[in-house]
Amino acid sequence: MNARDKRDEPAPGTRGTPGTGRQPRWRRDPERTSAVLLDAVLDLVAEGVHQPTSKAIAERAGVSERSVFVHFPDRETLYTAAAERQTDRWLALSEPVPPDRATAYKVRVFLAQRGRMYERMTPIRKVGLGLEPDSPGLHRIMRWGDAWLRDDLARTFEPELGRVAGARRAGGLLDSLEAASSWAAWDHLRSRRGLGDAATRSAMGRSLRALLGDAPDAEAAPSPAPEPPPAP
């Protein structure tokens, strides 16, 4: 067997049904194969393999290494497609927060949702930020994601923003809310300060409520200090 024949051979464990010489149906479906390859890339990156090789991707996906290049002829194509799939992953965790509910309620629900989304984003986003300057496709998709997060924030707190003059201008309330609820703020508290999920949401919630001029609700408010014992 020559070198080309070896490259064209399926990866170990990926051969078709015994006796048929045929590949499983999903491996003959280009869209399905692409999806499996992209999931392999994202899973490897999330596990700490920041720039996985085509061999590692193929082994994780259970396909031949040649399939990687058939579907993604260069790194730029691969990074762009992986970023799009990662965006779909965290968008699937989003659900509109009714803007007509009380501010404290919205802050609590909004941050619970953002926490889930940010935890899903974090390992991939950290790698993406390093690759973004050299990848136009990755840069475009990350900017789209940032814009979606800002628009979602504005929709959630539309009534509160409407009560503040110039809330959407540069340096206004919306910019302040975005900074206080951003992935960067979440990651700083989680990774640099070492806070847990609940403590991070509490700290960010305090900032959002202060910016929105809303007092903490009963669930978020600290317990009152105990009364001192009476003097004898």
PDB file of all heavy atoms in Angstrom, residues 111-112 114-119 186 189-190 194-204:
ATOM      1  N   LEU A 111     -28.979  37.517  34.465  1.00  0.00           N
ATOM      2  CA  LEU A 111     -27.631  37.065  34.831  1.00  0.00           C
ATOM      3  C   LEU A 111     -27.547  35.548  34.971  1.00  0.00           C
ATOM      4  O   LEU A 111     -26.491  34.959  34.696  1.00  0.00           O
ATOM      5  CB  LEU A 111     -27.179  37.745  36.123  1.00  0.00           C
ATOM      6  CG  LEU A 111     -26.820  39.226  35.977  1.00  0.00           C
ATOM      7  CD1 LEU A 111     -26.455  39.822  37.323  1.00  0.00           C
ATOM      8  CD2 LEU A 111     -25.670  39.416  34.970  1.00  0.00           C
ATOM      9  N   ALA A 112     -28.631  34.914  35.373  1.00  0.00           N
ATOM     10  CA  ALA A 112     -28.627  33.449  35.416  1.00  0.00           C
ATOM     11  C   ALA A 112     -28.434  32.890  34.004  1.00  0.00           C
ATOM     12  O   ALA A 112     -27.660  31.942  33.784  1.00  0.00           O
ATOM     13  CB  ALA A 112     -29.928  32.931  36.018  1.00  0.00           C
ATOM     14  N   ARG A 114     -27.129  34.624  31.369  1.00  0.00           N
ATOM     15  CA  ARG A 114     -25.798  35.005  30.889  1.00  0.00           C
ATOM     16  C   ARG A 114     -24.715  34.110  31.495  1.00  0.00           C
ATOM     17  O   ARG A 114     -23.733  33.765  30.835  1.00  0.00           O
ATOM     18  CB  ARG A 114     -25.506  36.472  31.209  1.00  0.00           C
ATOM     19  CG  ARG A 114     -26.221  37.458  30.293  1.00  0.00           C
ATOM     20  CD  ARG A 114     -25.724  37.332  28.858  1.00  0.00           C
ATOM     21  NE  ARG A 114     -26.518  38.110  27.924  1.00  0.00           N
ATOM     22  CZ  ARG A 114     -26.197  39.317  27.483  1.00  0.00           C
ATOM     23  NH1 ARG A 114     -25.096  39.914  27.925  1.00  0.00           N
ATOM     24  NH2 ARG A 114     -26.974  39.937  26.612  1.00  0.00           N
ATOM     25  N   GLY A 115     -24.904  33.726  32.746  1.00  0.00           N
ATOM     26  CA  GLY A 115     -23.925  32.836  33.366  1.00  0.00           C
ATOM     27  C   GLY A 115     -23.789  31.534  32.602  1.00  0.00           C
ATOM     28  O   GLY A 115     -22.677  31.057  32.346  1.00  0.00           O
ATOM     29  N   ARG A 116     -24.909  30.946  32.223  1.00  0.00           N
ATOM     30  CA  ARG A 116     -24.866  29.701  31.446  1.00  0.00           C
ATOM     31  C   ARG A 116     -24.205  29.919  30.092  1.00  0.00           C
ATOM     32  O   ARG A 116     -23.402  29.097  29.635  1.00  0.00           O
ATOM     33  CB  ARG A 116     -26.286  29.153  31.263  1.00  0.00           C
ATOM     34  CG  ARG A 116     -26.946  28.677  32.550  1.00  0.00           C
ATOM     35  CD  ARG A 116     -28.239  27.948  32.276  1.00  0.00           C
ATOM     36  NE  ARG A 116     -29.279  28.824  31.744  1.00  0.00           N
ATOM     37  CZ  ARG A 116     -30.132  29.505  32.496  1.00  0.00           C
ATOM     38  NH1 ARG A 116     -30.059  29.450  33.816  1.00  0.00           N
ATOM     39  NH2 ARG A 116     -31.071  30.267  31.936  1.00  0.00           N
ATOM     40  N   MET A 117     -24.537  31.029  29.457  1.00  0.00           N
ATOM     41  CA  MET A 117     -23.965  31.319  28.144  1.00  0.00           C
ATOM     42  C   MET A 117     -22.464  31.581  28.252  1.00  0.00           C
ATOM     43  O   MET A 117     -21.670  31.068  27.451  1.00  0.00           O
ATOM     44  CB  MET A 117     -24.685  32.524  27.530  1.00  0.00           C
ATOM     45  CG  MET A 117     -26.152  32.268  27.249  1.00  0.00           C
ATOM     46  SD  MET A 117     -27.089  33.773  26.879  1.00  0.00           S
ATOM     47  CE  MET A 117     -26.514  34.124  25.234  1.00  0.00           C
ATOM     48  N   TYR A 118     -22.067  32.372  29.245  1.00  0.00           N
ATOM     49  CA  TYR A 118     -20.650  32.708  29.386  1.00  0.00           C
ATOM     50  C   TYR A 118     -19.809  31.486  29.741  1.00  0.00           C
ATOM     51  O   TYR A 118     -18.672  31.352  29.281  1.00  0.00           O
ATOM     52  CB  TYR A 118     -20.467  33.797  30.440  1.00  0.00           C
ATOM     53  CG  TYR A 118     -20.988  35.165  30.027  1.00  0.00           C
ATOM     54  CD1 TYR A 118     -21.278  36.140  30.986  1.00  0.00           C
ATOM     55  CD2 TYR A 118     -21.178  35.492  28.697  1.00  0.00           C
ATOM     56  CE1 TYR A 118     -21.742  37.395  30.629  1.00  0.00           C
ATOM     57  CE2 TYR A 118     -21.643  36.746  28.326  1.00  0.00           C
ATOM     58  CZ  TYR A 118     -21.925  37.693  29.295  1.00  0.00           C
ATOM     59  OH  TYR A 118     -22.381  38.937  28.929  1.00  0.00           O
ATOM     60  N   GLU A 119     -20.359  30.597  30.576  1.00  0.00           N
ATOM     61  CA  GLU A 119     -19.617  29.386  30.905  1.00  0.00           C
ATOM     62  C   GLU A 119     -19.409  28.533  29.657  1.00  0.00           C
ATOM     63  O   GLU A 119     -18.362  27.906  29.498  1.00  0.00           O
ATOM     64  CB  GLU A 119     -20.351  28.591  31.985  1.00  0.00           C
ATOM     65  CG  GLU A 119     -20.322  29.253  33.358  1.00  0.00           C
ATOM     66  CD  GLU A 119     -18.915  29.353  33.931  1.00  0.00           C
ATOM     67  OE1 GLU A 119     -18.260  28.310  34.101  1.00  0.00           O
ATOM     68  OE2 GLU A 119     -18.480  30.493  34.198  1.00  0.00           O
ATOM     69  N   TRP A 186     -17.471  38.901  33.642  1.00  0.00           N
ATOM     70  CA  TRP A 186     -17.730  37.559  34.180  1.00  0.00           C
ATOM     71  C   TRP A 186     -16.423  36.772  34.317  1.00  0.00           C
ATOM     72  O   TRP A 186     -16.146  36.172  35.360  1.00  0.00           O
ATOM     73  CB  TRP A 186     -18.693  36.828  33.250  1.00  0.00           C
ATOM     74  CG  TRP A 186     -19.015  35.423  33.678  1.00  0.00           C
ATOM     75  CD1 TRP A 186     -18.336  34.282  33.358  1.00  0.00           C
ATOM     76  CD2 TRP A 186     -20.102  35.011  34.522  1.00  0.00           C
ATOM     77  NE1 TRP A 186     -18.929  33.196  33.933  1.00  0.00           N
ATOM     78  CE2 TRP A 186     -20.014  33.606  34.660  1.00  0.00           C
ATOM     79  CE3 TRP A 186     -21.143  35.685  35.163  1.00  0.00           C
ATOM     80  CZ2 TRP A 186     -20.927  32.870  35.410  1.00  0.00           C
ATOM     81  CZ3 TRP A 186     -22.045  34.957  35.917  1.00  0.00           C
ATOM     82  CH2 TRP A 186     -21.925  33.571  36.040  1.00  0.00           C
ATOM     83  N   LEU A 189     -14.081  37.950  37.186  1.00  0.00           N
ATOM     84  CA  LEU A 189     -14.498  37.517  38.517  1.00  0.00           C
ATOM     85  C   LEU A 189     -14.326  36.011  38.699  1.00  0.00           C
ATOM     86  O   LEU A 189     -13.944  35.543  39.781  1.00  0.00           O
ATOM     87  CB  LEU A 189     -15.951  37.914  38.758  1.00  0.00           C
ATOM     88  CG  LEU A 189     -16.207  39.417  38.869  1.00  0.00           C
ATOM     89  CD1 LEU A 189     -17.703  39.702  38.918  1.00  0.00           C
ATOM     90  CD2 LEU A 189     -15.525  40.012  40.094  1.00  0.00           C
ATOM     91  N   ARG A 190     -14.582  35.257  37.637  1.00  0.00           N
ATOM     92  CA  ARG A 190     -14.479  33.795  37.729  1.00  0.00           C
ATOM     93  C   ARG A 190     -13.028  33.324  37.683  1.00  0.00           C
ATOM     94  O   ARG A 190     -12.605  32.523  38.526  1.00  0.00           O
ATOM     95  CB  ARG A 190     -15.274  33.152  36.582  1.00  0.00           C
ATOM     96  CG  ARG A 190     -16.752  33.385  36.626  1.00  0.00           C
ATOM     97  CD  ARG A 190     -17.451  32.497  37.645  1.00  0.00           C
ATOM     98  NE  ARG A 190     -17.670  31.157  37.117  1.00  0.00           N
ATOM     99  CZ  ARG A 190     -17.336  30.026  37.725  1.00  0.00           C
ATOM    100  NH1 ARG A 190     -16.747  30.058  38.908  1.00  0.00           N
ATOM    101  NH2 ARG A 190     -17.594  28.849  37.179  1.00  0.00           N
ATOM    102  N   GLY A 194     -11.452  34.235  41.206  1.00  0.00           N
ATOM    103  CA  GLY A 194     -11.750  32.911  41.716  1.00  0.00           C
ATOM    104  C   GLY A 194     -13.119  32.758  42.342  1.00  0.00           C
ATOM    105  O   GLY A 194     -13.341  31.854  43.157  1.00  0.00           O
ATOM    106  N   LEU A 195     -14.065  33.631  41.968  1.00  0.00           N
ATOM    107  CA  LEU A 195     -15.407  33.548  42.533  1.00  0.00           C
ATOM    108  C   LEU A 195     -16.198  32.404  41.903  1.00  0.00           C
ATOM    109  O   LEU A 195     -15.989  32.051  40.739  1.00  0.00           O
ATOM    110  CB  LEU A 195     -16.166  34.854  42.310  1.00  0.00           C
ATOM    111  CG  LEU A 195     -15.597  36.131  42.942  1.00  0.00           C
ATOM    112  CD1 LEU A 195     -16.562  37.278  42.729  1.00  0.00           C
ATOM    113  CD2 LEU A 195     -15.291  35.938  44.415  1.00  0.00           C
ATOM    114  N   GLY A 196     -17.114  31.855  42.652  1.00  0.00           N
ATOM    115  CA  GLY A 196     -18.018  30.860  42.116  1.00  0.00           C
ATOM    116  C   GLY A 196     -19.106  31.507  41.284  1.00  0.00           C
ATOM    117  O   GLY A 196     -19.228  32.746  41.226  1.00  0.00           O
ATOM    118  N   ASP A 197     -19.919  30.672  40.673  1.00  0.00           N
ATOM    119  CA  ASP A 197     -20.981  31.171  39.808  1.00  0.00           C
ATOM    120  C   ASP A 197     -21.936  32.087  40.557  1.00  0.00           C
ATOM    121  O   ASP A 197     -22.262  33.194  40.095  1.00  0.00           O
ATOM    122  CB  ASP A 197     -21.737  29.980  39.220  1.00  0.00           C
ATOM    123  CG  ASP A 197     -22.858  30.384  38.288  1.00  0.00           C
ATOM    124  OD1 ASP A 197     -23.955  30.694  38.783  1.00  0.00           O
ATOM    125  OD2 ASP A 197     -22.638  30.372  37.066  1.00  0.00           O
ATOM    126  N   ALA A 198     -22.406  31.667  41.731  1.00  0.00           N
ATOM    127  CA  ALA A 198     -23.389  32.458  42.479  1.00  0.00           C
ATOM    128  C   ALA A 198     -22.802  33.789  42.939  1.00  0.00           C
ATOM    129  O   ALA A 198     -23.462  34.832  42.857  1.00  0.00           O
ATOM    130  CB  ALA A 198     -23.894  31.660  43.680  1.00  0.00           C
ATOM    131  N   ALA A 199     -21.556  33.782  43.425  1.00  0.00           N
ATOM    132  CA  ALA A 199     -20.930  35.021  43.880  1.00  0.00           C
ATOM    133  C   ALA A 199     -20.698  35.977  42.716  1.00  0.00           C
ATOM    134  O   ALA A 199     -20.828  37.202  42.863  1.00  0.00           O
ATOM    135  CB  ALA A 199     -19.604  34.715  44.577  1.00  0.00           C
ATOM    136  N   THR A 200     -20.366  35.439  41.569  1.00  0.00           N
ATOM    137  CA  THR A 200     -20.157  36.286  40.383  1.00  0.00           C
ATOM    138  C   THR A 200     -21.470  36.944  39.969  1.00  0.00           C
ATOM    139  O   THR A 200     -21.519  38.145  39.683  1.00  0.00           O
ATOM    140  CB  THR A 200     -19.597  35.447  39.225  1.00  0.00           C
ATOM    141  OG1 THR A 200     -18.334  34.893  39.614  1.00  0.00           O
ATOM    142  CG2 THR A 200     -19.400  36.299  37.977  1.00  0.00           C
ATOM    143  N   ARG A 201     -22.549  36.170  39.961  1.00  0.00           N
ATOM    144  CA  ARG A 201     -23.852  36.755  39.624  1.00  0.00           C
ATOM    145  C   ARG A 201     -24.275  37.795  40.655  1.00  0.00           C
ATOM    146  O   ARG A 201     -24.861  38.828  40.307  1.00  0.00           O
ATOM    147  CB  ARG A 201     -24.902  35.651  39.515  1.00  0.00           C
ATOM    148  CG  ARG A 201     -24.798  34.848  38.224  1.00  0.00           C
ATOM    149  CD  ARG A 201     -25.946  33.858  38.050  1.00  0.00           C
ATOM    150  NE  ARG A 201     -25.740  32.649  38.853  1.00  0.00           N
ATOM    151  CZ  ARG A 201     -26.450  32.319  39.912  1.00  0.00           C
ATOM    152  NH1 ARG A 201     -27.435  33.116  40.325  1.00  0.00           N
ATOM    153  NH2 ARG A 201     -26.209  31.197  40.560  1.00  0.00           N
ATOM    154  N   SER A 202     -23.954  37.552  41.911  1.00  0.00           N
ATOM    155  CA  SER A 202     -24.299  38.515  42.957  1.00  0.00           C
ATOM    156  C   SER A 202     -23.566  39.831  42.753  1.00  0.00           C
ATOM    157  O   SER A 202     -24.160  40.918  42.848  1.00  0.00           O
ATOM    158  CB  SER A 202     -23.961  37.921  44.328  1.00  0.00           C
ATOM    159  OG  SER A 202     -24.209  38.858  45.351  1.00  0.00           O
ATOM    160  N   ALA A 203     -22.258  39.762  42.473  1.00  0.00           N
ATOM    161  CA  ALA A 203     -21.469  40.977  42.271  1.00  0.00           C
ATOM    162  C   ALA A 203     -21.930  41.747  41.042  1.00  0.00           C
ATOM    163  O   ALA A 203     -22.090  42.979  41.079  1.00  0.00           O
ATOM    164  CB  ALA A 203     -19.990  40.607  42.135  1.00  0.00           C
ATOM    165  N   MET A 204     -22.182  41.036  39.945  1.00  0.00           N
ATOM    166  CA  MET A 204     -22.623  41.701  38.734  1.00  0.00           C
ATOM    167  C   MET A 204     -24.042  42.240  38.899  1.00  0.00           C
ATOM    168  O   MET A 204     -24.370  43.314  38.379  1.00  0.00           O
ATOM    169  CB  MET A 204     -22.525  40.744  37.544  1.00  0.00           C
ATOM    170  CG  MET A 204     -21.080  40.378  37.219  1.00  0.00           C
ATOM    171  SD  MET A 204     -20.914  39.144  35.898  1.00  0.00           S
ATOM    172  CE  MET A 204     -21.341  40.115  34.457  1.00  0.00           C
TER     173      MET A 204
END
